[in-house]
Structure formats: C-alpha cells, structure tokens
Amino acid sequence: MSYLNERLEQLYPEMVELRRYFHQHPELSFHEVHTPKKIAEYLTNLGVEVHTGVGGRGVVGYIRGGKPGKTVALRADFDALPIQDEKDVPYKSTVPGVMHACGHDGHTTILLSVAKVLSEIKDELAGNVVLIHQFAEEIVPGGAKPMIEAGCLDGVDAIFGTHLWSPIPVGEIGYRSGAFMAGADGFDIEIIGRGGHGAVPHATVDPIALGTSIVQQLQQIVSRRIDPLKPAVLTVATFNAGKAFNVIPTTARISGTVRTFDAAVQDEIIKHMQNIIAYNCEHAGATYTFNYEKGYPAVINHEAETELLKKKAIDIIGEDNVKQIDPSMAAEDFSYYVQKVPGTYFFTGAGNKDTDIIYPHHHAKFDIDERSMLIAAKILASTAVDFLNNK
C-alpha cells in the first residue's frame, strides 16, 4: 500500500492540472462529448481496455489483473451544471453558463489517477478493476441506470465511490453503513378553479385560497402521518398564481420535492398527497392535475464494504479524521449500483475556510481544496486492492 500512496503523491501535480482542465471545459448532463473522449484517450494511453458509449455516453475501463480473483468497480461522474462560474481563479470555466459546481471534475481526475497507479501494478493484482466513468448524474433519469443495463456491473463483486464534499473540511472523510443519501422525488400540482373579479369572490372558485389550504395540509403529512423514527422531508418550493391585484385567477401551480430513505414511507407520502389534493378540490368544486416523479432511490451502503472502506481510510488519514456522519437528504444515482452489487459511498472532505473554499455545492463560487483528490485517490486505490486481496 505504501507504493500506491507514494505513487499518487508523485502524480499530485498532474492531478491538479487534469482537474483544472476539466473545470475549464465543463459539459452539461446528456450533452457530454469532449469529456468522455478525453477520459477514453487517457485510459487508452495507459494500456487499459476501454469501452465507450456505454449506456449512452459512459466510458468503462478494465484493468485485468495478472492473478485470478474477484472484480471490484470504482465509479466517478463527469457532468457539469447550468451555472455561471463566478470564481476569480485562473482555471475558471471557459463555457458561458456552465460550470463544475459539484466536484465531478475532481471525481473524474481521482478515478483516472487511480487507474494510472493500478495499471502500473496490474500483473500483481489478484483480480480485476472496473473503472466506471458515468455521464449525467445531475439530471433524472441519470446515467447510472442505463450504464448498468448496458452491463458495466457484469461480473463485479463490489463497488466503491466517493463524493468530494465541501461541508466537510479537507483531511477528513464521512462514512455511514446503511442509509447514507436520500431518495429524491419531485411533484407538480395544478389546481383549476374558476376565475373572476376580486370584488366578487363568491362567484369564483379561488385556486389561491384552495392551494394555500392544500399546502398547509401537505406540510402535516411528515409531522402527523409518518413514523417519526423514519426520516422524510416534504418541501413545497413554488406557488404561482395570478398576475393582477384585482383578479382571482383560474389556476394555481404548486411544486416541490420529497426526500425519503424507505420505499414504504415514499408510497405512504404519495397516497396522503393524493388524498389531500383530491378531497380539497372536490369539496371546493375545482379540478386538478397531480404529477409525481420518482427520482433516484436512496443510497443504502453495505456493512462489510463500509467497514473495509473505514479501515483503509483510518490507515491513511488516521482514526480521528474518519467520522461516521448522519444521513444526507441529498440524492445520488450511485444508489442504483449498490442495489445491484454490494458497495459503499462516502464523502471526502474538500472544504477549507482558510482559503475561502466555503461555498456549498451548486453555488456559483463552488470550489474544492484540491488536496482532497489525493486523499480520495489513496483511499479508493488501497480499498480496491485490499478487497481483491481479501479471499
């Protein structure tokens, strides 16, 4: 393991250069063209077997070990976000309105660097390593599902992945067995009433008054209908109706998100939402549409793989810096991978208050402390090798 760490430290300047290249040339979900080409070219130059167009725009590399054994997969995502980069740095995005505001440029760099060091010792590996470079994590339906359907997990015994995480300071990681990240859904409600003059509300069916009542009742689903020991969030994020101060509109639109870890809780929330909307509209004489879109399921980490990850992280950064954290209500389509094979996903701290790397993910000034990439690469590489060596 000392060789892996030393070699990655030697590669660190190249990691920084590579990450900054990706940061300057971001591409949106489902529109990635040059990024997968760059990834495939890098892996090919390492002598790695490369498959392109996996599930759409995905790239998968295969490092065949010199000895028989298991197969471990490592995953990184490479899409960017529709946000204008407002950082004052030399590696600022060169694409107007598009930036890497979630660390995926770092994720890609980490996995390419791990590929480089593992390919150098492939003859010593007791098994195989699958390098999954995934497109389109940011937008449902995401790239994980079609890549799995295209066979990227065929023959894989376990999978590991990390997310560079600015709320955690560089030098630390956050892990958790079991529920780690929530399932994320979206909903849209349209209430169709009967508009009219604001001076004669009795002659109308007011969608604003009706919608306000519905919103209040929706907010009580989690607090009064769901077991308090089972985490859930229901957030109404938009309410749009009307344009004039003296006109009661015909329609009102409400939208929001639901976050859960348990499929049964998810179904219970949907049922109560449907009942509340239908009951209120029926009694008010209004009609409605209710569209509920299930997003990524929850990321549920497997115990054995999480313990292995924890052990290797302690070896590298020390026990005080390896912390069990509470589940996050953010979402990730890594969930599909760990539904298919055992694995774990963890957060690698990437924030640094001393250098003003304090902005949250999806912020126009988001950045990472690039040393986090070296930490993540060491942990993933050593975890992969240890998994293969563990008979």
Side-chain angles (χ1 to χ4, degrees), residues 210 277-286:
L210 181 54
I277 297 164
Y279 177 84
N280 280 273
C281 287
E282 179 182 349
H283 282 263

Side-chain angles (χ1 to χ4, degrees), residues 237-252:
T238 71
F239 191 132
N240 297 297
K243 294 182 179 180
F245 80 99
N246 60 349
V247 177
I248 294 173
T250 297
T251 62

